[in-house]
């Protein structure tokens, strides 16, 4: 079966974030306004890239739900 890990619900220790990434087969990032300003979200991205994990990006576009345009998300994203 497929096991889903959701960091906001299942992460027990933020210090182990990279280990959780290591044990994941694929990473889905749900991008909303401010996502790229979060130090821990950036840790998730860096760790996923360093470990060559397959990545899926999902954009929340509805401003009423914290969404942002793709351009706004790009502008927030560090290089």
């Amino acid at each position: 079966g497929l096991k889903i890990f959701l960091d906001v619900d299942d992460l027990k220790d933020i210090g182990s974030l990279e280990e959780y990434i290591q044990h994941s087969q694929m990473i889905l990032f749900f991008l909303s306004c401010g996502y790229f300003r979060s130090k821990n979200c950036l840790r998730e991205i860096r760790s996923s890239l360093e470990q060559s994990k397959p990545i899926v990006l999902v954009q929340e576009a509805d401003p009423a739900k914290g969404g942002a345009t793709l351009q706004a998300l790009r502008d927030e994203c560090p290089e």
Side-chain angles (χ1 to χ4, degrees):
L2 183 64
K3 182 178 177 187
I4 305 293
F5 166 81
L6 182 60
D7 60 356
V8 295
D9 290 341
D10 302 323
L11 184 63
K12 305 287 188 243
D13 175 14
I14 194 67
S16 299
L17 186 60
E18 290 79 5
E19 186 177 329
Y20 283 95
I21 296 290
Q22 181 180 5
H23 291 107
S24 298
Q25 291 182 351
M26 137 182 274
I27 312 298
L28 184 143
F29 293 112
F30 192 76
L31 306 177
S32 58
C33 187
Y35 181 88
F36 292 109
R37 291 191 301 261
S38 165
K39 193 165 59 171
N40 289 323
C41 290
L42 292 176
R43 282 177 57 203
E44 285 181 318
I45 292 171
R46 284 188 189 105
S47 181
S48 298
L49 292 171
E50 288 169 0
Q51 297 181 48
S52 300
K53 296 292 182 174
I55 295 174
V56 175
L57 302 176
V58 177
Q59 172 206 11
E60 173 56 72
D62 185 348
K65 296 179 181 172
T69 64
L70 284 176
Q71 187 58 52
L73 291 168
R74 283 187 190 115
D75 292 344
E76 283 184 3
C77 183
E79 293 186 34

